[in-house]
Amino acid sequence: MSGPNTDYDPVEVAAVSPAEVEAARDAALAAIAAAADLEQLKAVRTQHAGDRSPLALANREIGALPPQARKEAGQRVGQARGAVSQALAKRQAELEAEHEARILVEESVDVTLPTDRDPVGARHPLTTGAELIADIFVAMGWEVAEGPVIEAEWLNFDALNLGPDHPARTMQDTFWTEPADNHIVLRTHTSPVQARTMLTRTPPIYVVCPGRVFRTDEYDATHSPMFHQVEGLAIDEGISMAHLKGTLDHFATSMFGEGITTRFRPSFFPFTEPSAEVDLICFVCRGSGLDDDRSGACRTCRGEGWIEWGGCGIVNPRVLQACGVDSSRYSGFAFGMGIDRTLMFRHGLEDLRALFEGDVRFTTAFGSEL
Ligand code: PHE
């Protein structure tokens, strides 16, 4: 910055001349008015009010004027700079207000609009599956019965003719509660609900009992220490194996579609006599045992044409007697199958664990099913 220059000819100081100052001010005001947004105004501010702007330059020139010319020039430049900075402030405020108003409109969110992104949740397929099964029986006039999952050893075993030396009683299969001499187990099947029902009701009895059961099984694609069974019990006069077969065929057809019926294979259960394993016609190959292009074995039933579904039989008279039912007058049938397994068939699930792990990607796929 130069100091006072006494030889200085004011005529030469063009930047401070009234015309120049006015022109610089007008140019600045015009540019400010023309600035369409805050970005542009920022550039205008640098150009017209910044250190290198004509008016800042003029301001610096004042010091170089002869003393007698400084006051007037100072006023002139000062007023021009004041007008420019006022105009800048005003335009800044206007543009900021505009900007805010525009953001309010552009970025506004209508919270009343419906959205499909809410996770609505789903009823678990096991719940809906158990209800579906219960509904099939309720439609035939049956009732739904339930019992506790923590069960008396006597009801889980003894009442069902499972003698003290039956292998299923060993630690291998049964979860026993402590202390052992309380004789309380986690029920290993839904059959104790049969016993409970017969002990508390008088025939005729037609009940279906879905529920959780527990066995000391590994946890893998086809086993779980906790799974679900559905038990059926019918006690009436003149009940025969034919009623059992007709009921299970109806159950199978309702679950898996027209033409899917059952066959019985001789088996043994302490609580039924005679007893049978129930197989289902394979609903994929429909009993042919062949895969889709008929060249290899069906993968679902491994070429058998049949799928194991559960156990059944005519209620052993010893069970009727243990549960206070007159076995000379009444007879009955019972059956039990895995609900989880039934759902795996029905929905083509490869891994049982999908049913227990609560992954919403799995369960929501069933969300609309009632
Ligand atoms: N309770 C038997 C089981 O868990 C199934 C069954 C029920 C068999 C009723 C016959 C009659 O394997």
Side-chain angles (χ1 to χ4, degrees):
M1 206 29 128
S2 54
N5 178 357
T6 41
D7 299 335
Y8 189 76
D9 176 359
V11 178
E12 293 288 306
V13 187
V16 196
S17 78
E20 282 298 321
V21 171
E22 208 173 293
R25 184 198 63 197
D26 290 350
L29 295 180
I32 291 166
D37 56 36
L38 290 163
E39 196 69 20
Q40 285 180 17
L41 189 66
K42 197 174 163 202
V44 168
R45 184 189 303 276
T46 314
Q47 202 189 335
H48 294 279
D51 283 351
R52 291 156 180 269
S53 64
L55 287 174
L57 207 68
N59 199 43
R60 285 202 291 274
E61 296 291 345
I62 292 169
L65 291 175
Q68 64 276 24
R70 278 186 206 157
K71 189 174 170 214
E72 202 201 328
Q75 260 175 14
R76 190 160 59 239
V77 175
Q79 272 168 10
R81 296 183 86 202
V84 168
S85 73
Q86 246 178 39
L88 274 170
K90 188 161 161 264
R91 189 73 187 131
Q92 173 86 21
E94 276 169 20
L95 289 174
E96 272 173 8
E98 247 173 53
H99 178 69
E100 263 166 42
R102 199 174 54 242
I103 281 190
L104 278 179
V105 173
E106 280 174 5
E107 296 181 9
S108 69
V109 175
D110 183 350
V111 293
T112 66
L113 281 177
T115 165
D116 59 0
R117 283 206 267 164
D118 271 353
V120 288
R123 301 184 69 222
H124 196 279
L126 274 166
T127 311
T128 52
E131 282 180 8
L132 177 73
I133 294 170
D135 281 352
I136 293 169
F137 286 91
V138 168
M140 293 192 285
W142 291 45
E143 290 170 76
V144 177
E146 278 177 330
V149 292
I150 299 172
E151 185 58 285
E153 176 187 4
W154 189 83
L155 288 164
N156 194 77
F157 293 129
D158 301 72
L160 299 170
N161 198 33
L162 269 112
D165 53 354
H166 193 280
R169 281 203 182 207
T170 66
M171 302 301 284
Q172 307 272 303
D173 293 313
T174 308
F175 286 111
W176 296 83
T177 65
E178 300 269 349
D181 56 9
N182 274 358
H183 301 287
I184 305 281
V185 299
L186 297 189
R187 69 180 178 196
T188 57
H189 49 179
T190 41
S191 303
V193 189
Q194 282 186 39
R196 285 177 171 273
T197 308
M198 288 188 275
L199 284 165
T200 52
R201 296 185 185 207
T202 45
I205 294 170
Y206 292 86
V207 289
V208 65
C209 329
R212 254 172 217 204
V213 300
F214 304 81
R215 286 183 199 176
T216 56
D217 278 340
E218 290 299 317
Y219 186 50
D220 60 31
T222 52
H223 296 87
S224 161
M226 186 282 295
F227 56 102
H228 300 77
Q229 277 192 343
V230 58
E231 187 93 4
L233 174 72
I235 307 284
D236 210 334
E237 290 179 15
I239 290 284
S240 75
M241 208 73 173
H243 297 115
L244 172 59
K245 180 74 166 65
T247 305
L248 290 180
D249 278 350
H250 174 73
F251 180 20
T253 305
S254 307
M255 280 306 276
F256 298 103
E258 213 47 55
I260 304 300
T261 51
T262 63
R263 78 173 176 190
F264 288 2
R265 276 180 294 119
S267 184
F268 173 79
F269 296 103
F271 30 90
T272 47
E273 183 58 40
S275 302
E277 300 282 340
V278 190
D279 293 344
L280 199 61
I281 290 183
C282 175
F283 45 87
V284 174
C285 66
R286 305 193 73 80
S288 75
L290 298 171
D291 69 3
D292 273 352
D293 55 22
R294 313 224 133 226
S295 56
C298 168
R299 282 176 57 221
T300 306
C301 63
R302 298 203 176 80
E304 291 286 313
W306 296 91
I307 293 174
E308 281 183 34
W309 197 22
C312 68
I314 294 296
V315 181
N316 192 317
R318 295 180 63 162
V319 174
L320 295 179
Q321 285 150 21
C323 297
V325 173
D326 179 355
S327 61
S328 63
R329 181 172 170 199
Y330 295 106
S331 57
F333 68 73
F335 60 85
M337 35 276 285
I339 297 180
D340 323 76
R341 206 169 139 73
T342 304
L343 291 183
M344 283 175 80
F345 298 157
R346 196 162 186 268
H347 299 296
L349 306 179
E350 308 243 307
D351 194 325
L352 175 70
R353 289 169 291 196
L355 285 168
F356 303 134
E357 291 186 345
D359 186 330
V360 289
R361 289 169 301 181
F362 170 76
T363 48
T364 47
F366 294 85
S368 57
E369 182 176 329
L370 290 174

